[in-house]
């Protein structure tokens, strides 16, 4: 049977497409109270007084609580958690679900109203009168670095941590001292506002007899949430059940422990009534963490042929107002990838994290890795210009291991890549994109002096994913492990049930996992039920992020199937009066080697294991096995992308007209899902390059919080994407798989900006800040021509 590798349609989709998905907001319970959040309109201010009398008296209002009152009620043992204190001396100001004394970003909650209806709660929240004393605001990374104003009044500096990774400082200095060519560049990774189709929402329901709480949350991380809420609130883990029902996308923004999650659980527990909240779109721009937010400085040293000798990187990273779950770890996730797919003998990376009075940052598709890929891939184009060779040639000359297939290769003295084979991947991308034809068309337009010029951008990215080895994560001060858990049951009727520790929210796990189980057990994938996203059903798990679900969780499922088959084989051998060593297993049938007529189907064994009438002596009944898989290494997918843009030189308008992606995620379980993941990921990176970016005024107000101003692309804005794949199996897991959930995003922003800069290179333009709006592009052209007319 070959379900693995077959492009099966996602079994999840018909229900979702028919509108039958049950999201948090669809779940109604009797007696529920709605939370209405009173949010700060100031980015930095002291709270002088709060008058909630009118709100409390409004119809349908049950209570209004300020932060101080909630603390007096003793609801929290500790502030909201940060699970990744990257250094021992990292500064981490307390972050309570409701502010006490001082607010640190626009949208921070200062009081919470509980009312009988959603709109009653929202209306009453408007009646709460808060007297603020505004304070000076740190509204950008630059202002934070300058440090003359601090984002937290009780801190003497905005700097939260300094994190160095310089394996050999002398070698790094020597590389730059002896280089024939050096380049130095600064890039801005603007803040991005995640915009999953389903906004975040919570519903906490106490059990009728009290003492136990079920939280329905639109989250990617029910298991992590359970541990963190228990640790922070003091409610026993055993009394908490977290359910992520249908979740309409997350993209990293639902990987957190949010004020609303803590508030709903602790208030429901206190009041004995269900408590709920669903964010509005505009609230999401303030209340849900944002992505990126970095200033990058990168330097490359190369010999006269353009062979890299050294790479030096410094980041100033915007934490926003507080450290959330993995805020400080995000920039470090990229730290190991600043040398890209290139053979760089000397490497150094430092990162300073800074507080600002803006919404906290945290994981967003790629989390640290698109940023790294952007810096090195933009810098490689600059090096090509400096050396005077083509963007393709500079890459080819520098690929790790010269493009030959390698396994377990140490990279820049930082970590070991599982496998890579870059040149064939590049070759396929050049062929599929008709690179030579594109260059010819570019030359024609240039010669003809056409107003619409062509730009071609090439990147070869690498990603670190499959987060992963618990020891390695511990070495980075991460507060959790990286294993994943799976249970596989063969039920009495021969159908299978899988309990998965990962938590899908658009990635098609039910389909992929049924393919793995179908093949491994030799049954029809349609006979496999996948259970997940409910901590009562799946008590062990570490959830979905970092493109880990297949390369860690899927592998755990495969291993659990192997254990089921091993046990079934013993039962089969017993029944057929043969030795287990002589048993063969193929397509769900056990047979005795050399006696094909002596056979039994796995479904029959399943029933026998259930009745337990005739099991081998000492064997436990039932066919149920579980595995916690902790891989020995991360997985490192890679790929080459070619972006083609048309630039209207009169208006600065940039159109992405063609995009080719040749990715390598090792062996594939479901090529159709893989392709969909690549498409979505690419569009997210293209959006950063061309359209998206949170803009703030000097008072820390977001100027484009609504989807009218914040330009999330639709299918109409992107060309159809040409995809193909090379297959370089991972050595980090027995399935040979690498993750793909973020891969498209890792290279695409750089590919698009490389294309724009390539198109503008005749003007001497070497960089355009993201997003490359028509205004920015037009101004760059005008400046290059000698000043804006
Ligand atoms: N797959 C495969 N073969 C491979 C690799 C993956 O068949 N070699 C399949 C897997 O079986 C799974 C899917 O592709 O069905 C994604 O697997 P994986 O790469 O392991 O990623 P995760 O499932 O862990 O998903 C997380 C990843 C992340 S980190 C973000 S952010 C993201 C993404 O997935 N957010 C998404 N993709 C998203 N897709 C949707 N629709 N919505 C989001 O919020």
């Amino acid at each position: 049977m070959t379900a693995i590798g077959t492009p099966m349609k996602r079994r999840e989709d018909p229900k979702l497409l028919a509108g039958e998905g049950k999201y948090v907001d669809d779940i109604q319970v009797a007696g529920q109270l709605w939370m209405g959040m009173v949010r700060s309109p100031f980015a930095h201010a002291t709270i002088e007084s709060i008058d909630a009398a009118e709100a409390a008296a409004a119809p349908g209002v049950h209570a209004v609580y300020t932060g101080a009152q909630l603390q007096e009620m003793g609801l929290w043992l500790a502030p909201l958690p940060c699970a990744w204190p990257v250094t021992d001396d990292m500064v981490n100001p307390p972050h309570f679900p409701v502010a006490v004394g001082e607010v640190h970003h626009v949208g921070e909650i200062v009081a919470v109203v509980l009312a009988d209806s959603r709109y009653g709660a929202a209306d009453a929240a408007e009646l709460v009168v808060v007297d603020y004393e505004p304070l000076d605001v740190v509204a950008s990374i630059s202002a934070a670095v300058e440090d003359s104003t601090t984002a937290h009044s009780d801190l003497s500096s905005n700097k939260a941590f300094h994190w160095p990774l310089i394996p050999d400082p002398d070698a790094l200095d020597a590389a730059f001292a002896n280089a024939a060519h050096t380049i130095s560049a600064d890039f801005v990774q603007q803040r991005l506002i995640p915009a999953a189709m389903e906004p975040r929402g919570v519903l906490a329901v106490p059990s009728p007899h009290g003492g136990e709480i079920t939280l329905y949350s639109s989250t990617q991380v029910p298991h992590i949430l359970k541990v963190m809420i228990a640790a922070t609130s003091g409610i026993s883990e055993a009394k908490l059940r977290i359910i992520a029902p249908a979740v309409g996308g997350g993209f990293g923004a639902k990987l957190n422990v949010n004020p609303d999650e803590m508030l709903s659980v602790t208030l429901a527990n206190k009041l004995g009534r269900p408590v709920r909240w669903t964010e509005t779109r505009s609230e999401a721009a303030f209340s849900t963490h944002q992505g990126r937010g970095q200033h990058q400085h990168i330097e490359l040293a190369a010999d006269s042929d353009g062979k890299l000798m050294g790479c030096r990187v410094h980041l100033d990273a915007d934490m926003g107002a507080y450290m959330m779950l993995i805020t400080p770890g995000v920039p470090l996730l990229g730290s190991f990838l600043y040398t890209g797919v290139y053979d760089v003998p000397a490497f150094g990376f430092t990162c300073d994290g800074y507080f600002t009075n803006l919404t906290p940052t945290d994981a967003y598709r790629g989390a640290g890795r698109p940023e790294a890929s952007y810096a090195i891939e933009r810098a490689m184009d600059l090096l090509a210009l400096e050396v005077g060779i083509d963007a393709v040639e500079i890459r080819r000359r520098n690929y790790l291991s010269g493009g030959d297939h390698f396994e377990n290769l140490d990279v820049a003295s930082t970590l070991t890549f599982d496998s890579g084979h870059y040149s064939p991947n590049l070759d396929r991308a050049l062929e599929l994109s008709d690179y030579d034809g594109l260059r010819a068309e570019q030359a024609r337009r240039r010669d003809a002096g056409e107003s619409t010029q062509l730009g071609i951008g090439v990147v070869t990215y690498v990603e670190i994913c499959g987060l992963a080895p618990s020891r390695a994560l511990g070495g980075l001060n991460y507060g959790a492990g990286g294993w994943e858990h799976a249970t596989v049951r063969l039920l009495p009727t021969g159908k299978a049930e899988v309990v998965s520790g990962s938590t899908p929210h658009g990635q098609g796990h039910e389909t992929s996992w049924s393919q793995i189980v179908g093949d491994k057990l030799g049954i029809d994938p349609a006979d496999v039920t996948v259970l997940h996203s409910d901590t009562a059903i799946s008590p062990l798990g570490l959830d979905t992020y970092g493109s880990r679900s297949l390369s860690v969780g899927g592998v755990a499922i495969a291993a659990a199937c192997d254990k089921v088959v091993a046990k079934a084989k013993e039962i089969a051998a017993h029944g057929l009066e043969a030795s287990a060593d002589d048993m063969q297993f193929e397509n769900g049938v056990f047979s005795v080697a050399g006696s094909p007529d002596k056979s039994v189907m796995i479904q029959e064994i399943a029933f026998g294991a259930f009745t337990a009438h005739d099991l081998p002596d000492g064997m436990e009944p039932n066919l149920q096995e579980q595995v916690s898989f902790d891989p020995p290494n991360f997985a490192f997918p890679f790929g080459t992308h070619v972006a083609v843009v048309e630039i209207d030189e009169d208006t600065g308008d940039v159109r992405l007209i063609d995009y080719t992606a040749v990715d390598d995620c090792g062996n594939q379980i479901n090529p159709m899902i893989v392709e969909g993941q690549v498409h979505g990921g690419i569009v997210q990176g293209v959006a950063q390059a061309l359209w998206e970016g949170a803009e703030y005024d000097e008072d820390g107000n977001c100027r484009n919080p609504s989807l009218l101003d914040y330009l999330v692309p639709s299918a109409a804005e992107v060309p159809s994407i040409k995809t193909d794949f090379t297959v370089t199996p991972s050595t980090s897991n027995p399935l040979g798989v690498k993750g793909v959930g973020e891969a498209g995003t890792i290279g695409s922003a750089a590919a698009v900006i490389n294309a724009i800069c390539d198109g503008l290179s005749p003007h001497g333009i070497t960089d355009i800040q993201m997003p490359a709006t028509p205004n920015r592009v037009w101004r760059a052209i005008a400046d290059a021509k000698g000043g804006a007319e």
Side-chain angles (χ1 to χ4, degrees):
M1 227 175 275
T2 51
I4 291 179
T6 305
M8 295 174 76
K9 283 193 178 167
R10 302 201 314 184
R11 56 160 71 180
E12 294 88 342
D13 288 353
K15 198 165 108 184
L16 297 175
L17 293 173
E20 289 165 10
K22 278 268 179 225
Y23 299 86
V24 172
D25 205 55
D26 296 320
I27 303 166
Q28 301 298 321
V29 287
Q32 62 193 9
L33 291 169
W34 282 86
M35 293 192 287
M37 310 302 192
V38 182
R39 296 184 182 277
S40 170
F42 291 99
H44 195 194
T46 48
I47 302 169
E48 299 291 305
S49 64
I50 300 178
D51 180 355
E54 198 182 344
V61 171
H62 181 84
V64 184
Y65 297 115
T66 65
Q69 286 168 330
L70 290 168
Q71 289 210 327
E72 274 165 30
M73 288 158 72
L75 290 188
W76 308 303
L77 300 174
L80 291 168
C82 171
W84 203 336
V86 292
T87 58
D88 293 341
D89 59 354
M90 183 186 88
V91 182
N92 183 14
H95 180 199
F96 286 99
V98 179
V100 180
E102 188 171 303
V103 288
H104 300 102
H105 67 90
V106 171
E108 186 168 359
I109 302 169
V110 293
V112 55
V113 174
L114 288 167
D116 289 338
S117 74
R118 183 195 303 240
Y119 301 108
D123 287 347
E126 304 234 319
L127 299 175
V128 175
V129 180
V130 185
D131 186 13
Y132 296 96
E133 186 60 41
L135 298 166
D136 287 344
V137 173
V138 180
S140 65
I141 310 181
S142 311
V145 174
E146 204 178 283
D147 230 17
S148 55
T149 301
T150 52
H152 289 254
S153 302
D154 53 355
L155 295 181
S156 57
S157 163
N158 292 313
K159 194 186 277 195
F161 65 85
H162 172 75
W163 195 85
L165 174 71
I166 312 176
D168 186 342
D170 293 340
L172 188 59
D173 289 344
F176 277 87
N178 298 322
H181 297 287
T182 57
I183 62 116
S184 166
D186 293 284
F187 302 118
V188 175
Q189 295 287 331
Q190 77 272 31
R191 280 172 165 260
L192 300 179
I193 302 177
M197 271 223 249
E198 181 212 15
R200 291 192 315 98
V202 291
L203 166 62
V205 186
S207 61
H209 42 79
E212 285 161 14
I213 301 277
T214 300
L215 172 68
Y216 298 85
S217 179
S218 179
T219 181
Q220 301 173 218
V221 289
H223 297 92
I224 292 178
L225 201 52
K226 180 173 154 176
V227 176
M228 291 301 176
I229 290 180
T232 311
S233 66
I235 299 171
S236 162
E237 258 167 290
K239 307 280 183 198
L240 273 173
R241 175 180 183 185
I242 316 284
I243 299 175
V247 175
F251 309 108
K254 293 176 180 171
L255 191 193
N256 226 317
V257 180
N258 291 284
D260 39 89
E261 288 166 324
M262 280 296 289
L263 278 170
S264 60
V265 168
T266 52
L267 286 172
N269 192 39
K270 183 87 186 165
L271 304 174
R273 286 183 68 174
V275 173
R276 73 181 310 153
W277 171 83
T278 301
E279 73 183 354
T280 61
R281 261 303 156 197
S282 43
E283 239 180 339
F286 305 109
S287 67
T288 293
H289 74 245
Q290 299 183 353
R292 318 285 188 254
Q294 294 177 7
H295 284 185
Q296 305 172 297
H297 178 74
I298 183 165
E299 294 169 37
L300 297 181
D303 68 13
S304 53
D305 294 330
K307 277 280 294 164
L308 286 165
M309 299 167 67
C311 170
R312 198 187 264 145
V313 175
H314 177 74
L315 299 188
D316 288 328
D318 181 356
M319 306 287 100
Y322 297 104
M323 298 300 191
M324 293 195 68
L325 194 64
I326 61 163
T327 302
V330 167
L332 308 192
L333 268 176
S335 61
F336 303 99
L337 296 183
Y338 276 85
T339 53
V341 287
Y342 309 113
D343 190 358
V344 184
F347 173 60
F349 172 93
T350 50
C351 175
D352 291 329
Y354 288 95
F355 293 112
T356 57
N357 292 119
L358 305 177
T359 297
T361 59
D362 207 304
Y364 182 63
R365 205 169 193 169
R369 292 151 290 162
E371 296 93 311
S373 172
Y374 186 86
I376 181 66
E377 288 303 305
R378 290 285 301 112
M380 288 303 277
D381 267 23
L382 295 176
L383 183 62
L385 280 177
E386 160 75 19
V387 177
I389 58 175
D390 182 68
V392 168
E393 182 55 26
I394 194 83
R395 286 171 171 80
R396 231 187 251 290
R397 278 186 202 179
N398 283 288
Y399 281 153
L400 278 163
S401 204
D404 295 334
H405 180 95
F406 65 78
E407 291 185 352
N408 299 317
L409 189 76
D410 288 337
V411 178
S413 310
T414 55
L415 79 178
T416 305
F417 281 8
D418 54 352
S419 59
H421 206 184
Y422 305 131
S423 285
N425 181 270
L426 171 75
D427 290 342
R428 179 66 188 125
L430 297 181
E431 183 192 345
L432 191 61
S433 62
D434 185 21
Y435 186 76
D436 293 339
L438 288 169
R439 285 286 175 213
E441 170 62 8
Q442 181 182 54
R444 190 197 64 74
R445 291 193 194 195
R446 281 181 184 167
D447 290 348
E450 290 187 10
S451 65
T452 302
Q453 289 291 326
L454 210 60
I456 304 152
V458 181
V459 305
T460 303
Y461 74 87
V462 63
E463 182 194 356
I464 180 172
C465 77
L467 310 178
S470 300
R471 270 193 193 173
L473 296 178
L476 288 168
N477 269 15
Y478 179 58
W483 48 264
E484 193 47 270
H485 192 80
T487 303
V488 173
R489 300 181 187 117
L490 202 50
L491 304 172
T493 57
K495 314 265 194 244
E497 191 170 68
V498 181
V499 183
S500 157
S502 64
T503 301
H505 43 282
Q507 295 88 350
H509 290 181
E510 292 181 18
T511 307
S512 293
W513 299 173
S514 72
Q515 291 178 256
I516 293 173
V517 175
D519 266 13
K520 283 280 181 182
L521 300 186
I523 63 176
D524 187 341
D527 286 342
V528 181
T529 298
V530 181
L531 306 174
H532 55 80
S533 307
D534 178 342
T535 60
I537 291 171
S538 157
L540 285 174
L542 283 172
D543 307 318
T544 290
Y545 47 89
S547 303
R548 66 189 302 277
S549 301
L550 174 60
S551 58
V552 192
V555 174
I557 290 169
C561 288
D562 289 342
K563 285 170 83 171
V564 167
V565 170
K567 182 170 175 182
K569 187 182 267 186
E570 284 188 44
I571 301 172
H574 175 73
L576 296 172
E577 295 175 345
S579 152
D581 293 341
D582 292 336
M583 298 300 298
Q584 295 173 330
F585 180 61
E586 206 175 335
N587 291 337
V589 178
F590 292 96
S591 58
V592 181
S595 313
D597 52 318
K598 290 181 85 178
S599 66
V600 56
M601 290 171 69
I602 194 164
Q603 286 87 349
E604 296 172 68
I605 304 286
F607 193 66
F610 165 69
T611 60
H613 292 167
D614 185 20
L615 293 178
D617 287 346
M619 180 179 274
E620 282 182 24
N622 294 314
L623 277 177
Q624 164 171 299
E625 298 293 340
Q626 47 182 328
V627 166
S628 283
F629 177 64
D630 199 345
N633 191 7
F634 301 93
F636 296 84
F638 59 90
T640 301
H641 290 195
V642 180
V644 185
V645 296
E646 273 186 347
I647 305 164
D648 183 333
E649 298 215 339
D650 294 331
T651 63
D653 188 34
V654 174
R655 295 278 155 99
L656 183 68
I657 58 162
D658 198 22
Y659 200 98
T660 302
V662 179
D663 293 87
D664 193 321
C665 54
N667 294 328
Q668 300 184 12
I669 302 302
N670 185 321
M672 191 186 287
I673 291 181
V674 165
E675 199 171 349
Q677 287 292 316
V678 167
H679 278 204
I682 287 171
V683 176
Q684 241 161 326
V686 170
Q688 177 175 11
L690 291 179
W691 302 297
E692 295 189 22
E695 289 169 21
Y696 286 91
D697 68 15
E698 60 191 17
D699 295 322
N701 296 301
C702 183
R703 292 193 302 197
N704 54 345
S706 99
L707 292 181
L708 282 178
D709 305 309
Y710 187 87
L711 303 179
V712 178
S714 70
E717 276 80 36
V718 278
S720 78
I721 296 167
K722 291 183 231 161
T723 53
D724 201 359
F725 298 89
T726 55
V727 177
T728 311
S730 175
T731 57
S732 299
N733 60 73
L735 293 182
V737 293
K738 306 183 178 196
V740 80
E742 296 158 292
T745 316
I746 310 290
S748 49
V752 172
I753 299 295
N754 277 355
I756 296 172
C757 294
D758 174 67
L760 297 176
S761 59
H763 298 288
I765 295 167
T766 55
D767 194 28
I768 292 282
Q769 193 182 312
M770 297 187 290
T773 57
N775 186 277
R776 280 199 174 123
V777 174
W778 176 83
R779 189 159 292 283
I781 297 169
D783 287 348
K785 284 181 176 169
E789 295 116 60

